[in-house]
Amino acid sequence: FFQAEDGIRDYKVTGVQTCALPISNGQDAIEIASNEHLDLVLMDISMPVMDGIEATRTINAMVQAPPVIALTAHVGKDVVDDYLKEGFKSYLSKPVDQVALLYELNLWLQPDESAEETRVESDLEVSNSNTLGSLVAQIGEAKFCKVRELFLEETQKRIGSLLAAWVRRDLDALRLEAHTLSSSVGSFGCDELAWRFKKIEAAVKEKDVAEIVRYMKDIERVSTETLKVVSEYQPNLQGE
């Protein structure tokens, strides 16, 4: 990974020897990201030549863009939410706390050999066709399509709120959003996704950081894949 600010240090993270490349401005950050394989970028918001926000926009537009974490002295709720909207995956307040830094490194970095092994899988259905079929039978195809549209819109907003709470490390908000989502997606046949949200809620209640990280790592990807399956579901009413 590289850190777009002054200073350099290597860290031992979950069995991975990291190597930090110091960059002094946003333009250099873009050049390095364009020519090197990076697993993570720590991006200072205030830099000469090009600021961190503009540099992050450019990096996020790249193919296989690495996750970018903001480094900033401004960490109010509204500011952090703005960073999330700009494409940052998380943030670290300055001066950087070493424990918080190691927390983020453990979240985003992992050995290539174990990448698949660390992905959480379950035997539950991504989209339960029986649940969706029963819903169609109850309310009719036309109304189902309208309800599904509202469900997809609301769920995407809720997931955005969940991710924002995670970026802020607001565990109370994270638990509330996970609880609400587990119920709503479960009622729409998203059994596997509902199970993941329940795991997150339970981990927050137990203050089990490792377990929270384990399920939050993939939640955005799994949510996107699941909602895509629901959006493509074709109602099949017999006898109509």
Side-chain angles (χ1 to χ4, degrees):
F1 72 98
F2 75 72
Q3 51 189 105
E5 68 158 7
D6 294 334
I8 180 170
R9 183 172 180 179
D10 294 340
Y11 297 89
K12 191 72 173 179
V13 181
T14 57
V16 181
Q17 182 62 47
T18 65
C19 179
L21 305 174
I23 305 297
S24 60
N25 65 71
Q27 189 60 54
D28 286 348
I30 291 173
E31 184 176 347
I32 292 293
S34 299
N35 295 291
E36 301 287 345
H37 171 73
L38 299 170
D39 297 305
L40 181 66
V41 177
L42 305 181
M43 183 72 74
D44 200 333
I45 297 298
S46 301
M47 291 188 295
V49 184
M50 179 185 293
D51 66 38
I53 292 177
E54 186 62 33
T56 297
R57 289 184 187 136
T58 303
I59 290 174
N60 282 338
M62 297 177 181
V63 177
Q64 295 183 332
V68 183
I69 295 177
L71 299 177
T72 177
H74 307 288
V75 292
K77 180 181 181 300
D78 292 341
V79 174
V80 171
D81 287 346
D82 287 342
Y83 290 154
L84 182 65
K85 292 175 184 177
E86 292 290 354
F88 291 95
K89 295 300 183 182
S90 185
Y91 79 95
L92 287 167
S93 59
K94 298 173 65 177
V96 175
D97 177 79
Q98 297 303 309
V99 174
L101 173 58
L102 288 173
Y103 184 97
E104 294 296 332
L105 295 182
N106 275 286
L107 173 60
W108 297 105
L109 303 180
Q110 60 183 343
D112 291 340
E113 294 80 5
S114 64
E116 290 300 318
E117 295 177 7
T118 57
R119 178 174 290 184
V120 180
E121 302 290 352
S122 81
D123 295 328
L124 296 171
E125 292 186 69
V126 173
S127 178
N128 191 321
S129 58
N130 290 331
T131 300
L132 293 176
S134 295
L135 186 57
V136 173
Q138 291 173 19
I139 65 177
E141 182 175 347
K143 192 169 183 179
F144 169 82
C145 291
K146 293 180 180 179
V147 171
R148 175 174 60 182
E149 183 178 350
L150 292 173
F151 164 76
L152 292 171
E153 182 180 350
E154 179 62 23
T155 302
Q156 287 169 342
K157 289 180 181 178
R158 283 283 185 182
I159 291 170
S161 296
L162 178 97
L163 295 172
W166 177 236
V167 168
R168 298 192 307 270
R169 300 298 181 253
D170 184 344
L171 296 185
D172 287 338
L174 183 66
R175 181 188 58 78
L176 178 60
E177 292 296 344
H179 174 80
T180 302
L181 281 162
S182 66
S183 177
S184 63
V185 302
S187 67
F188 229 84
C190 306
D191 294 350
E192 205 258 358
L193 186 56
W195 171 78
R196 288 175 183 270
F197 287 131
K198 288 178 182 177
K199 287 289 188 180
I200 293 170
E201 181 187 6
V204 173
K205 286 182 178 178
E206 294 297 323
K207 296 183 171 57
D208 188 338
V209 174
E211 194 75 352
I212 298 171
V213 169
R214 185 175 179 227
Y215 286 95
M216 283 301 298
K217 270 189 173 183
D218 285 339
I219 199 65
E220 186 172 12
R221 173 188 62 81
V222 175
S223 297
T224 299
E225 293 173 356
T226 301
L227 295 184
K228 183 175 185 295
V229 172
V230 173
S231 70
E232 294 173 349
Y233 172 79
Q234 295 296 319
N236 181 23
L237 292 178
Q238 301 296 325
E240 286 198 353

